[in-house]
Amino acid sequence: LLPHLIVELSSPSTAQLDRTEKKDLYASLNVPEYVIYDPDADRLEGWVMGLVGRRYLDPMPERNGQLWCQTLKLYLGRWDGEYLD
């Protein structure tokens, strides 16, 4: 059973691999949504599976720096703050 969403935490040593080979691998496995967060660049990117073929064709819809995740029915984004002290 495969996931409907994959979220990668990228690093300088994996950034190129995450955006190329891993992205292609997850697309070939028909994972509908793929998200990469690069903390060094403070960049959040996401893609949605196209309707034809096993390729990520479209970036995830964005609003105020957050990505709409259809799988979870919520926005994904970076947050700064404290949680429970």
Side-chain angles (χ1 to χ4, degrees), residues 9-62:
L9 181 60
S10 192
S11 70
S13 64
T14 66
Q16 182 63 27
L17 181 69
D18 295 337
R19 287 179 180 83
T20 56
E21 292 179 41
K22 283 187 178 181
K23 184 178 169 191
D24 292 342
L25 170 64
Y26 299 141
S28 73
L29 295 172
N30 213 25
V31 175
E33 294 179 304
Y34 178 50
V35 174
I36 299 172
Y37 177 64
D38 183 343
D40 292 325
D42 193 24
R43 183 170 60 182
L44 185 66
E45 300 174 275
W47 296 271
V48 178
M49 183 68 60
L51 295 177
V52 178
R54 291 183 174 187
R55 293 180 28 213
Y56 293 113
L57 298 177
D58 302 312
M60 293 176 89
E62 184 178 337

Short mmCIF file of all heavy atoms in Angstrom, two decimals, residues 9-62:
data_model
loop_
_atom_site.label_atom_id
_atom_site.label_comp_id
_atom_site.label_asym_id
_atom_site.label_seq_id
_atom_site.Cartn_x
_atom_site.Cartn_y
_atom_site.Cartn_z
N LEU A 9 12.11 16.21 3.83
CA LEU A 9 12.90 17.25 4.45
C LEU A 9 14.24 17.24 3.71
O LEU A 9 15.00 16.28 3.82
CB LEU A 9 13.10 16.99 5.94
CG LEU A 9 13.90 18.03 6.70
CD1 LEU A 9 13.21 19.39 6.61
CD2 LEU A 9 14.05 17.61 8.14
N SER A 10 14.47 18.27 2.94
CA SER A 10 15.63 18.31 2.07
C SER A 10 16.84 18.89 2.79
O SER A 10 16.72 19.57 3.81
CB SER A 10 15.30 19.17 0.84
OG SER A 10 16.28 19.03 -0.14
N SER A 11 18.01 18.63 2.25
CA SER A 11 19.26 19.19 2.77
C SER A 11 20.14 19.52 1.56
O SER A 11 19.85 19.06 0.45
CB SER A 11 19.96 18.17 3.68
OG SER A 11 20.44 17.09 2.92
N PRO A 12 21.20 20.27 1.77
CA PRO A 12 22.07 20.59 0.63
C PRO A 12 22.59 19.35 -0.10
O PRO A 12 22.73 19.36 -1.31
CB PRO A 12 23.23 21.38 1.27
CG PRO A 12 22.63 22.01 2.47
CD PRO A 12 21.63 20.98 2.99
N SER A 13 22.82 18.28 0.64
CA SER A 13 23.36 17.07 0.00
C SER A 13 22.30 16.27 -0.75
O SER A 13 22.64 15.43 -1.58
CB SER A 13 24.04 16.19 1.04
OG SER A 13 23.10 15.72 1.99
N THR A 14 21.00 16.50 -0.47
CA THR A 14 19.95 15.71 -1.13
C THR A 14 19.03 16.54 -2.02
O THR A 14 18.17 15.99 -2.70
CB THR A 14 19.07 15.00 -0.10
OG1 THR A 14 18.34 15.97 0.67
CG2 THR A 14 19.88 14.09 0.79
N ALA A 15 19.18 17.87 -2.02
CA ALA A 15 18.23 18.75 -2.73
C ALA A 15 18.07 18.38 -4.20
O ALA A 15 16.94 18.29 -4.70
CB ALA A 15 18.66 20.20 -2.58
N GLN A 16 19.17 18.17 -4.90
CA GLN A 16 19.08 17.84 -6.33
C GLN A 16 18.40 16.49 -6.53
O GLN A 16 17.54 16.35 -7.40
CB GLN A 16 20.48 17.84 -6.95
CG GLN A 16 20.50 17.56 -8.43
CD GLN A 16 19.78 18.62 -9.25
OE1 GLN A 16 19.69 19.78 -8.85
NE2 GLN A 16 19.25 18.24 -10.37
N LEU A 17 18.75 15.51 -5.73
CA LEU A 17 18.15 14.18 -5.81
C LEU A 17 16.65 14.24 -5.50
O LEU A 17 15.84 13.59 -6.18
CB LEU A 17 18.85 13.23 -4.84
CG LEU A 17 18.37 11.79 -4.80
CD1 LEU A 17 18.74 11.07 -6.09
CD2 LEU A 17 18.99 11.06 -3.61
N ASP A 18 16.27 15.03 -4.49
CA ASP A 18 14.85 15.15 -4.12
C ASP A 18 14.01 15.71 -5.26
O ASP A 18 12.87 15.29 -5.48
CB ASP A 18 14.68 16.07 -2.90
CG ASP A 18 15.32 15.49 -1.65
OD1 ASP A 18 15.50 14.26 -1.57
OD2 ASP A 18 15.64 16.28 -0.75
N ARG A 19 14.55 16.67 -6.00
CA ARG A 19 13.80 17.35 -7.06
C ARG A 19 13.84 16.61 -8.40
O ARG A 19 13.14 17.00 -9.32
CB ARG A 19 14.32 18.76 -7.23
CG ARG A 19 13.92 19.66 -6.11
CD ARG A 19 14.45 21.07 -6.27
NE ARG A 19 14.03 21.88 -5.13
CZ ARG A 19 14.67 21.92 -3.96
NH1 ARG A 19 15.74 21.18 -3.77
NH2 ARG A 19 14.22 22.67 -2.98
N THR A 20 14.67 15.59 -8.49
CA THR A 20 14.79 14.88 -9.77
C THR A 20 14.43 13.39 -9.61
O THR A 20 13.30 13.02 -9.85
CB THR A 20 16.21 15.04 -10.35
OG1 THR A 20 17.18 14.59 -9.40
CG2 THR A 20 16.49 16.49 -10.72
N GLU A 21 15.39 12.60 -9.16
CA GLU A 21 15.19 11.15 -9.11
C GLU A 21 14.07 10.74 -8.16
O GLU A 21 13.25 9.88 -8.50
CB GLU A 21 16.49 10.46 -8.71
CG GLU A 21 17.56 10.55 -9.77
CD GLU A 21 18.84 9.88 -9.34
OE1 GLU A 21 18.78 8.79 -8.74
OE2 GLU A 21 19.92 10.43 -9.62
N LYS A 22 14.03 11.31 -6.96
CA LYS A 22 12.97 10.92 -6.02
C LYS A 22 11.61 11.37 -6.52
O LYS A 22 10.63 10.64 -6.41
CB LYS A 22 13.24 11.50 -4.64
CG LYS A 22 14.30 10.77 -3.87
CD LYS A 22 14.37 11.30 -2.46
CE LYS A 22 15.39 10.59 -1.63
NZ LYS A 22 15.42 11.12 -0.25
N LYS A 23 11.56 12.57 -7.07
CA LYS A 23 10.29 13.07 -7.61
C LYS A 23 9.79 12.15 -8.73
O LYS A 23 8.62 11.78 -8.76
CB LYS A 23 10.50 14.49 -8.13
CG LYS A 23 9.24 15.16 -8.63
CD LYS A 23 9.57 16.58 -9.07
CE LYS A 23 8.42 17.20 -9.81
NZ LYS A 23 8.80 18.45 -10.46
N ASP A 24 10.70 11.74 -9.61
CA ASP A 24 10.33 10.82 -10.69
C ASP A 24 9.92 9.46 -10.15
O ASP A 24 8.97 8.83 -10.65
CB ASP A 24 11.49 10.65 -11.68
CG ASP A 24 11.77 11.92 -12.47
OD1 ASP A 24 10.90 12.82 -12.53
OD2 ASP A 24 12.88 12.01 -13.04
N LEU A 25 10.63 8.97 -9.12
CA LEU A 25 10.29 7.68 -8.52
C LEU A 25 8.88 7.70 -7.94
O LEU A 25 8.08 6.81 -8.20
CB LEU A 25 11.29 7.31 -7.43
CG LEU A 25 10.92 6.09 -6.58
CD1 LEU A 25 10.90 4.83 -7.43
CD2 LEU A 25 11.86 5.95 -5.40
N TYR A 26 8.57 8.73 -7.13
CA TYR A 26 7.25 8.81 -6.51
C TYR A 26 6.15 8.97 -7.56
O TYR A 26 5.06 8.42 -7.41
CB TYR A 26 7.20 9.93 -5.48
CG TYR A 26 8.18 9.73 -4.35
CD1 TYR A 26 8.86 10.80 -3.80
CD2 TYR A 26 8.44 8.46 -3.83
CE1 TYR A 26 9.77 10.62 -2.76
CE2 TYR A 26 9.34 8.28 -2.80
CZ TYR A 26 10.01 9.36 -2.27
OH TYR A 26 10.91 9.18 -1.25
N ALA A 27 6.45 9.68 -8.62
CA ALA A 27 5.48 9.81 -9.71
C ALA A 27 5.24 8.45 -10.37
O ALA A 27 4.10 8.07 -10.65
CB ALA A 27 5.95 10.82 -10.74
N SER A 28 6.31 7.68 -10.58
CA SER A 28 6.16 6.36 -11.21
C SER A 28 5.37 5.40 -10.33
O SER A 28 4.75 4.46 -10.83
CB SER A 28 7.53 5.77 -11.56
OG SER A 28 8.20 5.32 -10.40
N LEU A 29 5.40 5.64 -9.01
CA LEU A 29 4.63 4.82 -8.08
C LEU A 29 3.19 5.34 -7.90
O LEU A 29 2.42 4.77 -7.15
CB LEU A 29 5.33 4.78 -6.71
CG LEU A 29 6.69 4.09 -6.69
CD1 LEU A 29 7.35 4.28 -5.34
CD2 LEU A 29 6.54 2.61 -7.02
N ASN A 30 2.89 6.43 -8.61
CA ASN A 30 1.55 7.02 -8.62
C ASN A 30 1.15 7.61 -7.25
O ASN A 30 0.00 7.52 -6.84
CB ASN A 30 0.51 5.99 -9.08
CG ASN A 30 -0.62 6.64 -9.85
OD1 ASN A 30 -0.45 7.70 -10.42
ND2 ASN A 30 -1.76 6.00 -9.85
N VAL A 31 2.11 8.23 -6.57
CA VAL A 31 1.83 8.95 -5.32
C VAL A 31 1.26 10.31 -5.73
O VAL A 31 1.94 11.08 -6.39
CB VAL A 31 3.11 9.12 -4.48
CG1 VAL A 31 2.83 9.96 -3.25
CG2 VAL A 31 3.67 7.76 -4.09
N PRO A 32 0.00 10.62 -5.36
CA PRO A 32 -0.67 11.82 -5.89
C PRO A 32 -0.03 13.16 -5.55
O PRO A 32 -0.11 14.09 -6.34
CB PRO A 32 -2.07 11.74 -5.29
CG PRO A 32 -2.27 10.32 -4.92
CD PRO A 32 -0.91 9.81 -4.57
N GLU A 33 0.60 13.29 -4.37
CA GLU A 33 1.16 14.57 -3.99
C GLU A 33 2.55 14.39 -3.38
O GLU A 33 2.79 13.45 -2.63
CB GLU A 33 0.26 15.28 -2.96
CG GLU A 33 -1.08 15.67 -3.56
CD GLU A 33 -1.99 16.33 -2.54
OE1 GLU A 33 -2.25 15.72 -1.49
OE2 GLU A 33 -2.43 17.46 -2.81
N TYR A 34 3.45 15.31 -3.74
CA TYR A 34 4.83 15.26 -3.27
C TYR A 34 5.24 16.65 -2.83
O TYR A 34 5.08 17.62 -3.57
CB TYR A 34 5.74 14.76 -4.40
CG TYR A 34 7.20 14.70 -4.06
CD1 TYR A 34 7.65 14.06 -2.91
CD2 TYR A 34 8.15 15.24 -4.92
CE1 TYR A 34 9.00 13.98 -2.62
CE2 TYR A 34 9.51 15.16 -4.63
CZ TYR A 34 9.92 14.54 -3.48
OH TYR A 34 11.26 14.46 -3.18
N VAL A 35 5.77 16.76 -1.60
CA VAL A 35 6.15 18.04 -1.02
C VAL A 35 7.60 17.95 -0.54
O VAL A 35 8.00 16.94 0.03
CB VAL A 35 5.24 18.41 0.18
CG1 VAL A 35 5.73 19.66 0.88
CG2 VAL A 35 3.80 18.59 -0.28
N ILE A 36 8.36 19.02 -0.80
CA ILE A 36 9.74 19.13 -0.32
C ILE A 36 9.85 20.40 0.51
O ILE A 36 9.43 21.47 0.07
CB ILE A 36 10.74 19.23 -1.48
CG1 ILE A 36 10.69 18.00 -2.38
CG2 ILE A 36 12.16 19.44 -0.94
CD1 ILE A 36 11.53 18.14 -3.64
N TYR A 37 10.42 20.27 1.71
CA TYR A 37 10.75 21.45 2.50
C TYR A 37 12.26 21.51 2.63
O TYR A 37 12.90 20.56 3.08
CB TYR A 37 10.11 21.44 3.89
CG TYR A 37 10.54 22.64 4.70
CD1 TYR A 37 10.18 23.92 4.28
CD2 TYR A 37 11.32 22.51 5.82
CE1 TYR A 37 10.60 25.04 4.99
CE2 TYR A 37 11.75 23.63 6.54
CZ TYR A 37 11.38 24.89 6.12
OH TYR A 37 11.80 25.99 6.80
N ASP A 38 12.84 22.64 2.21
CA ASP A 38 14.27 22.87 2.31
C ASP A 38 14.50 23.92 3.39
O ASP A 38 14.27 25.11 3.15
CB ASP A 38 14.80 23.35 0.96
CG ASP A 38 16.30 23.56 0.95
OD1 ASP A 38 16.91 23.64 2.04
OD2 ASP A 38 16.87 23.64 -0.15
N PRO A 39 14.91 23.51 4.61
CA PRO A 39 15.06 24.47 5.69
C PRO A 39 16.20 25.47 5.46
O PRO A 39 16.12 26.60 5.93
CB PRO A 39 15.33 23.60 6.92
CG PRO A 39 15.80 22.30 6.39
CD PRO A 39 15.19 22.15 5.03
N ASP A 40 17.23 25.08 4.73
CA ASP A 40 18.34 26.01 4.46
C ASP A 40 17.90 27.16 3.56
O ASP A 40 18.30 28.30 3.77
CB ASP A 40 19.52 25.27 3.84
CG ASP A 40 20.17 24.31 4.81
OD1 ASP A 40 20.22 24.63 6.02
OD2 ASP A 40 20.61 23.24 4.37
N ALA A 41 17.07 26.86 2.59
CA ALA A 41 16.55 27.89 1.68
C ALA A 41 15.21 28.43 2.17
O ALA A 41 14.66 29.34 1.56
CB ALA A 41 16.40 27.32 0.27
N ASP A 42 14.67 27.83 3.24
CA ASP A 42 13.34 28.17 3.75
C ASP A 42 12.32 28.15 2.61
O ASP A 42 11.56 29.09 2.40
CB ASP A 42 13.34 29.53 4.45
CG ASP A 42 12.06 29.76 5.24
OD1 ASP A 42 11.42 28.76 5.63
OD2 ASP A 42 11.70 30.93 5.46
N ARG A 43 12.33 27.05 1.86
CA ARG A 43 11.48 26.92 0.68
C ARG A 43 10.62 25.66 0.79
O ARG A 43 11.11 24.58 1.09
CB ARG A 43 12.33 26.85 -0.58
CG ARG A 43 11.51 26.78 -1.85
CD ARG A 43 12.35 26.95 -3.07
NE ARG A 43 13.38 25.93 -3.17
CZ ARG A 43 14.28 25.88 -4.14
NH1 ARG A 43 14.31 26.79 -5.08
NH2 ARG A 43 15.16 24.91 -4.16
N LEU A 44 9.33 25.83 0.54
CA LEU A 44 8.37 24.73 0.53
C LEU A 44 7.84 24.61 -0.89
O LEU A 44 7.34 25.58 -1.46
CB LEU A 44 7.22 25.04 1.50
CG LEU A 44 6.18 23.96 1.71
CD1 LEU A 44 6.80 22.74 2.39
CD2 LEU A 44 5.04 24.50 2.57
N GLU A 45 7.97 23.42 -1.47
CA GLU A 45 7.51 23.17 -2.83
C GLU A 45 6.65 21.92 -2.84
O GLU A 45 6.90 20.99 -2.07
CB GLU A 45 8.69 22.90 -3.77
CG GLU A 45 9.69 24.02 -3.89
CD GLU A 45 10.87 23.56 -4.72
OE1 GLU A 45 11.78 22.94 -4.15
OE2 GLU A 45 10.86 23.83 -5.94
N GLY A 46 5.66 21.89 -3.70
CA GLY A 46 4.82 20.70 -3.79
C GLY A 46 4.26 20.54 -5.18
O GLY A 46 4.06 21.51 -5.91
N TRP A 47 3.99 19.29 -5.54
CA TRP A 47 3.46 18.97 -6.86
C TRP A 47 2.29 18.01 -6.75
O TRP A 47 2.21 17.20 -5.83
CB TRP A 47 4.54 18.33 -7.73
CG TRP A 47 5.67 19.25 -8.00
CD1 TRP A 47 5.79 20.13 -9.03
CD2 TRP A 47 6.86 19.39 -7.23
NE1 TRP A 47 6.97 20.82 -8.94
CE2 TRP A 47 7.65 20.39 -7.84
CE3 TRP A 47 7.34 18.79 -6.07
CZ2 TRP A 47 8.88 20.78 -7.34
CZ3 TRP A 47 8.56 19.18 -5.55
CH2 TRP A 47 9.31 20.16 -6.20
N VAL A 48 1.41 18.09 -7.74
CA VAL A 48 0.22 17.25 -7.80
C VAL A 48 0.32 16.38 -9.05
O VAL A 48 0.73 16.85 -10.11
CB VAL A 48 -1.05 18.12 -7.86
CG1 VAL A 48 -2.30 17.26 -7.97
CG2 VAL A 48 -1.13 19.02 -6.65
N MET A 49 -0.11 15.13 -8.92
CA MET A 49 -0.09 14.20 -10.04
C MET A 49 -1.04 14.68 -11.14
O MET A 49 -2.14 15.14 -10.86
CB MET A 49 -0.54 12.81 -9.55
CG MET A 49 -0.50 11.72 -10.59
SD MET A 49 1.16 11.27 -11.13
CE MET A 49 1.91 10.72 -9.62
N GLY A 50 -0.58 14.60 -12.38
CA GLY A 50 -1.41 14.96 -13.52
C GLY A 50 -2.47 13.90 -13.78
O GLY A 50 -2.41 12.79 -13.26
N LEU A 51 -3.44 14.25 -14.59
CA LEU A 51 -4.52 13.31 -14.90
C LEU A 51 -4.09 12.24 -15.89
O LEU A 51 -4.68 11.17 -15.94
CB LEU A 51 -5.73 14.08 -15.45
CG LEU A 51 -6.39 15.05 -14.48
CD1 LEU A 51 -7.51 15.81 -15.17
CD2 LEU A 51 -6.93 14.31 -13.27
N VAL A 52 -3.09 12.54 -16.70
CA VAL A 52 -2.64 11.58 -17.71
C VAL A 52 -1.20 11.20 -17.43
O VAL A 52 -0.34 12.07 -17.25
CB VAL A 52 -2.74 12.20 -19.13
CG1 VAL A 52 -2.23 11.23 -20.16
CG2 VAL A 52 -4.17 12.61 -19.42
N GLY A 53 -0.93 9.93 -17.36
CA GLY A 53 0.43 9.46 -17.13
C GLY A 53 0.84 9.62 -15.68
O GLY A 53 0.15 10.24 -14.88
N ARG A 54 1.96 9.07 -15.37
CA ARG A 54 2.48 9.13 -14.00
C ARG A 54 3.57 10.19 -13.94
O ARG A 54 4.76 9.88 -13.91
CB ARG A 54 3.01 7.77 -13.59
CG ARG A 54 1.89 6.77 -13.44
CD ARG A 54 2.41 5.45 -12.98
NE ARG A 54 1.27 4.58 -12.72
CZ ARG A 54 1.38 3.40 -12.17
NH1 ARG A 54 2.55 2.94 -11.80
NH2 ARG A 54 0.32 2.67 -11.98
N ARG A 55 3.12 11.45 -13.94
CA ARG A 55 4.04 12.58 -13.88
C ARG A 55 3.42 13.67 -13.02
O ARG A 55 2.21 13.86 -13.00
CB ARG A 55 4.29 13.15 -15.27
CG ARG A 55 5.04 12.19 -16.16
CD ARG A 55 5.31 12.72 -17.55
NE ARG A 55 5.41 14.17 -17.63
CZ ARG A 55 5.01 14.86 -18.70
NH1 ARG A 55 4.48 14.26 -19.73
NH2 ARG A 55 5.14 16.16 -18.72
N TYR A 56 4.28 14.39 -12.30
CA TYR A 56 3.82 15.57 -11.58
C TYR A 56 3.80 16.72 -12.57
O TYR A 56 4.84 17.16 -13.05
CB TYR A 56 4.73 15.89 -10.40
CG TYR A 56 4.67 14.85 -9.32
CD1 TYR A 56 5.75 14.05 -9.03
CD2 TYR A 56 3.50 14.66 -8.59
CE1 TYR A 56 5.68 13.09 -8.04
CE2 TYR A 56 3.43 13.69 -7.61
CZ TYR A 56 4.52 12.91 -7.34
OH TYR A 56 4.45 11.96 -6.36
N LEU A 57 2.61 17.17 -12.91
CA LEU A 57 2.46 18.20 -13.92
C LEU A 57 2.25 19.58 -13.31
O LEU A 57 2.63 20.58 -13.90
CB LEU A 57 1.29 17.88 -14.84
CG LEU A 57 1.41 16.59 -15.64
CD1 LEU A 57 0.15 16.36 -16.46
CD2 LEU A 57 2.62 16.65 -16.54
N ASP A 58 1.60 19.64 -12.18
CA ASP A 58 1.18 20.91 -11.64
C ASP A 58 1.76 21.15 -10.25
O ASP A 58 1.79 20.25 -9.43
CB ASP A 58 -0.35 20.96 -11.53
CG ASP A 58 -1.04 20.73 -12.87
OD1 ASP A 58 -0.62 21.38 -13.84
OD2 ASP A 58 -1.94 19.90 -12.93
N PRO A 59 2.18 22.40 -9.99
CA PRO A 59 2.55 22.72 -8.61
C PRO A 59 1.30 22.74 -7.75
O PRO A 59 0.19 22.96 -8.24
CB PRO A 59 3.17 24.11 -8.71
CG PRO A 59 2.71 24.67 -9.99
CD PRO A 59 2.36 23.52 -10.89
N MET A 60 1.46 22.47 -6.46
CA MET A 60 0.32 22.53 -5.55
C MET A 60 -0.17 23.97 -5.45
O MET A 60 0.64 24.89 -5.47
CB MET A 60 0.71 22.02 -4.16
CG MET A 60 1.03 20.54 -4.14
SD MET A 60 1.61 20.01 -2.51
CE MET A 60 0.06 19.59 -1.75
N PRO A 61 -1.48 24.18 -5.35
CA PRO A 61 -1.99 25.55 -5.19
C PRO A 61 -1.41 26.20 -3.94
O PRO A 61 -1.28 25.56 -2.90
CB PRO A 61 -3.50 25.35 -5.05
CG PRO A 61 -3.78 24.00 -5.62
CD PRO A 61 -2.54 23.20 -5.39
N GLU A 62 -1.05 27.47 -4.07
CA GLU A 62 -0.40 28.18 -2.98
C GLU A 62 -1.22 29.39 -2.54
O GLU A 62 -1.87 30.04 -3.34
CB GLU A 62 0.98 28.65 -3.44
CG GLU A 62 1.78 29.31 -2.37
CD GLU A 62 3.16 29.73 -2.85
OE1 GLU A 62 3.66 29.16 -3.84
OE2 GLU A 62 3.72 30.63 -2.23
#
